[in-house]
Amino acid sequence: MPDKKPYRRRIKKCLQDTCSAKTLKKRVPVLEWLPKYKLSYIIQDFIAGITVGLTAIPQGIAYAVIAGLPPEHGLYASLTSGIVYVLFGSCYNVTVGPTAILAAMTAKYVTDYSADFAILAAFLAGAFMLLLGVLNLGFLVEFISMPVIKGFTNAAALQIAASQLKSYFGLQGPSGNYFAESMTYFFYNIKTARLWDPILATCTIIMLILLKKLGDGCNRTDGFIKKTRWFISLSRNAIVVIVGMVIAFIMKVVYDAEPLILIGDIGQGLPTFGWPPFSTVANNQTLNFIEMVKVLGLQSVAIPFVAILETVAIAKAFAVGGRIDATQELIAVGLCNIVGSFGQSMPITGSFARTALNHISGVKTPAGGITKVLLLIIALTYLTDTFYFIPKASLAGLIITALFSMIDFKIIGSFWKNSKKDFILFFATMNICLMMGLEYGILSGIMKEATLLLYKVARPSIEVEVLKSDKGDVTVINLAENIPYCAVEHVRRKVMKATDTTASNTTIVFNGVKLKKLDFTAGFNLMSLVKDLDTIYNVVLLNFSGEVKELCLNIDFSCQSKFVSASDVTDLTDIFPKSI
């Protein structure tokens, strides 16, 4: 009977490693950094938290509006995710919360059905990400190439900007679910444009640009004046929203007029915690969990993949030395979405703008997120009545300005100059995103890239050269490093074409010096090809590795005499038939 003790020892060791203190600290990073926390970090973490919080509040409200949700849902998302990431996040300066892209991907289902779909999308995205993290499958995102990512993000920026034209100009009617539809509605409803909304939105963009320039050349270590300019510049999102609120408040209270479209009532207090909506009522129909998932369709997979892309990219950009624990980030953001769905959160992921702000503000540990959470709690508890006066035009200007950094014009020229294939893939992905929707665009881009990748695998390079000799020509077929089963017909066609004009009794050498991988199907077909050619030509299998040779002999031992190693060949004549 086989000895079961080695397996028992392996299982025991695996359980010990899984339950060890080292693994626990790795999977719950707060246990690692909290005991090492220094009092000197408190001030910098506090300042960073306040700075990020002042940006998270207006952006959270703005992204909830993009998703078609009540504004408070954007604050709920930053609140719950902020708490969870402090405990499980592996990158101290990453800030998580709602983002423009995820909001845009959720909007269609909220508008057409109900807000419950956004919360369920957060739960499904979190469960999917957590599963990938537990199974160490985060590498799957590496199959999404830069042309696909850039095409998707550029299209997302244009789509979100187009959806904000309604609020920018104060238009009536719907805003549309994708770029083409949004632009159609914009031109159709342009006659309903108001006067003061576009003026305020334009002034908001100008103020944001000027306030950003105000902080140029300043940082937190400068003197009082420069430090003040630096802090004002970092808080510019909150400043422009406050200015818009003050204008709307004065017009409403002093002049009893509402020339601007306002956000309106925001739910007061902390979110009500409960189970995610596994059923809902939409369009006078009751939908169960399965039906809701069917409605979400591709979004059930597209949203978590986009969330993973954003999180990993941001963590890599800001991690010390560029090294991150991608598995832990998947687990952390997955838990953020799952826990958030119990607190009425929309889907969340890492935010590049707020993470950059956190980094610039000098955050030292994830504890900076605690200050942001406290600020959000204060806002939800005491300031929601004030938020009533936030003009939608101010948020539109803020969102459109934030999208400027998402659109990458330089990469288009780089693709055209260096790779026409990538250029075509970039534009194909972007156009489908704009015309049909973001989820269809990124899926089609991934499928196109996967098809090209499979085509390369199925068409390995087979180089044929003819060596001249006094005793006759030798046709050498240099095999590629890897010949999978899907490439066997390609190899056969290349070899048969190379030998079409070759005289009988000529020596044909299969050079396997590069060949490292050969599966059974490919090996079987190679041996079959060798036997077919051997009836006409003198076939030699040169420089095959021991593993590949063993596979071939297991398939057809009669070809043993055909194998020749480099050490056996001292001269070209060694591989000619004895009769020559």
Side-chain angles (χ1 to χ4, degrees):
M1 291 182 67
D3 183 13
K4 295 182 178 180
K5 289 185 178 180
Y7 297 102
R8 290 175 181 172
R9 284 196 293 268
R10 290 176 191 171
I11 294 171
K12 184 178 179 181
K13 186 178 184 302
C14 182
L15 289 174
Q16 287 174 342
D17 291 342
T18 303
C19 302
S20 67
K22 182 179 178 181
T23 302
L24 184 62
K25 289 180 179 180
K26 187 176 182 181
R27 295 303 168 220
V28 189
V30 67
L31 299 177
E32 179 71 25
W33 62 261
L34 188 58
K36 301 176 183 178
Y37 196 84
K38 298 178 181 178
L39 291 176
S40 58
Y41 294 163
I42 292 177
I43 298 298
Q44 286 176 286
D45 283 344
F46 179 78
I47 293 173
I50 290 291
T51 306
V52 173
L54 290 174
T55 299
I57 292 172
Q59 283 194 346
I61 293 172
Y63 296 151
V65 171
I66 290 176
L69 293 165
E72 63 268 20
H73 283 270
L75 302 182
Y76 295 162
S78 294
L79 176 66
T80 52
S81 63
I83 296 171
V84 175
Y85 195 83
V86 167
L87 301 175
F88 296 97
S90 64
C91 193
Y92 71 93
N93 46 17
V94 167
T95 299
V96 294
T99 64
I101 291 179
L102 292 187
M105 295 180 73
T106 309
K108 173 182 176 181
Y109 303 94
V110 175
T111 304
D112 294 345
Y113 295 92
S114 74
D116 288 341
F117 279 86
I119 302 171
L120 181 63
F123 175 80
L124 294 175
F128 189 78
M129 293 174 74
L130 181 62
L131 180 64
L132 290 182
V134 171
L135 298 178
N136 287 317
L137 295 176
F139 71 91
L140 291 175
V141 298
E142 296 173 8
F143 286 93
I144 306 177
S145 65
M146 182 179 286
V148 174
I149 294 171
K150 289 296 183 181
F152 172 78
T153 52
N154 279 14
L158 291 172
Q159 176 178 319
I160 296 164
S163 70
Q164 291 306 298
L165 292 175
K166 176 186 174 181
S167 296
Y168 194 102
F169 289 93
L171 305 179
Q172 296 176 6
S175 59
N177 293 319
Y178 49 91
F179 180 80
E181 189 177 53
S182 295
M183 294 307 297
T184 301
Y185 283 135
F186 169 70
F187 288 113
Y188 184 79
N189 297 316
I190 189 65
K191 57 183 177 293
T192 66
R194 299 158 64 98
L195 174 62
W196 295 107
D197 291 271
I199 292 176
L200 178 61
T202 304
C203 290
T204 298
I205 293 175
I206 294 171
M207 284 177 63
L208 285 167
I209 294 172
L210 294 177
L211 287 173
K212 183 180 180 180
K213 290 187 176 295
L214 180 68
D216 289 349
C218 304
N219 58 63
R220 64 180 183 276
T221 60
D222 289 331
F224 177 76
I225 295 177
K226 281 195 171 184
K227 187 183 291 186
T228 303
R229 287 171 53 192
W230 169 79
F231 185 76
I232 291 173
S233 178
L234 292 183
S235 306
R236 58 186 177 272
N237 288 335
I239 291 172
V240 296
V241 172
I242 290 171
V243 169
M245 287 169 58
V246 170
I247 293 172
F249 180 80
I250 292 173
M251 297 299 292
K252 174 71 173 177
V253 175
V254 178
Y255 297 102
D256 193 26
E258 283 193 18
L260 301 167
I261 299 175
L262 306 180
I263 284 291
D265 293 323
I266 294 181
Q268 188 173 16
L270 299 177
T272 302
F273 286 87
W275 287 97
F278 295 125
S279 65
T280 189
V281 176
N283 302 324
N284 296 321
Q285 287 184 321
T286 300
L287 303 176
N288 59 31
F289 175 72
I290 301 298
E291 290 170 332
M292 291 178 74
V293 172
K294 286 181 179 178
V295 169
L296 285 171
L298 291 176
Q299 296 289 44
S300 302
V301 177
I303 287 177
F305 263 106
V306 172
I308 293 168
L309 280 174
E310 290 193 81
T311 298
V312 173
I314 291 166
K316 282 184 177 181
F318 292 96
V320 178
R323 299 178 63 183
I324 65 163
D325 186 347
T327 296
Q328 183 58 30
E329 283 301 298
L330 287 176
I331 293 172
V333 179
L335 287 172
C336 285
N337 276 288
I338 292 173
V339 174
S341 68
F342 285 81
Q344 304 177 54
S345 168
M346 59 193 288
I348 65 95
T349 185
S351 165
F352 193 90
R354 295 191 293 277
T355 297
L357 197 60
N358 206 24
H359 180 74
I360 293 169
S361 300
V363 69
K364 289 295 183 182
T365 69
I370 297 174
T371 310
K372 181 194 78 171
V373 168
L374 292 174
L375 194 61
L376 287 165
I377 291 173
I378 293 170
L380 282 165
T381 307
Y382 300 106
L383 301 178
T384 50
D385 289 340
T386 308
F387 294 156
Y388 174 93
F389 295 97
I390 297 177
K392 287 189 176 182
S394 293
L395 295 180
L398 187 154
I399 292 167
I400 290 173
T401 305
L403 296 176
F404 290 160
S405 61
M406 284 178 58
I407 301 176
D408 192 345
F409 294 104
K410 292 182 180 179
I411 200 69
I412 300 174
S414 298
F415 285 148
W416 175 258
K417 182 178 179 181
N418 297 293
S419 175
K420 299 298 189 293
K421 175 186 76 68
D422 288 343
F423 177 82
I424 294 171
L425 185 61
F426 164 81
F427 261 103
T429 302
M430 187 171 72
N431 285 333
I432 294 175
C433 284
L434 294 175
M435 297 298 113
M436 300 180 63
L438 296 177
E439 66 273 25
Y440 295 103
I442 193 169
L443 180 65
S444 68
I446 293 171
M447 291 178 65
K448 291 187 186 80
E449 189 67 26
T451 302
L452 292 173
L453 186 63
L454 289 173
Y455 182 82
K456 289 180 181 179
V457 172
R459 295 293 182 270
S461 175
I462 305 295
E463 298 176 358
V464 179
E465 55 183 330
V466 178
L467 303 179
K468 302 293 183 179
S469 169
D470 294 338
K471 295 184 178 183
D473 296 342
V474 179
T475 301
V476 180
I477 300 168
N478 297 297
L479 301 176
E481 181 179 357
N482 179 25
I483 300 179
Y485 69 92
C486 55
V488 292
E489 289 303 320
H490 168 70
V491 173
R492 175 179 281 272
R493 284 195 299 270
K494 292 280 286 187
V495 172
M496 296 307 290
K497 183 178 180 181
T499 58
D500 273 347
T501 57
T502 304
S504 59
N505 294 323
T506 301
T507 299
I508 296 178
V509 179
F510 285 86
N511 185 12
V513 67
K514 295 180 181 179
L515 184 61
K516 299 294 187 295
K517 295 180 181 179
L518 190 72
D519 60 36
F520 185 87
T521 304
F524 183 88
N525 280 272
L526 180 62
M527 290 298 97
S528 176
L529 177 61
V530 167
K531 291 187 72 174
D532 290 345
L533 293 174
D534 196 47
T535 59
I536 306 173
Y537 311 105
N538 174 44
V539 179
V540 177
L541 304 176
L542 180 66
N543 294 329
F544 278 57
S545 67
E547 184 180 347
V548 174
K549 179 180 177 181
E550 183 180 0
L551 172 65
C552 293
L553 292 178
N554 286 336
I555 294 170
D556 191 346
F557 190 78
S558 65
C559 293
Q560 184 181 19
S561 60
K562 301 295 179 184
F563 288 94
V564 179
S565 63
S567 59
D568 297 330
V569 181
T570 57
D571 184 75
L572 188 63
T573 57
D574 290 344
I575 60 174
F576 279 90
K578 297 293 185 182
S579 59
I580 295 181

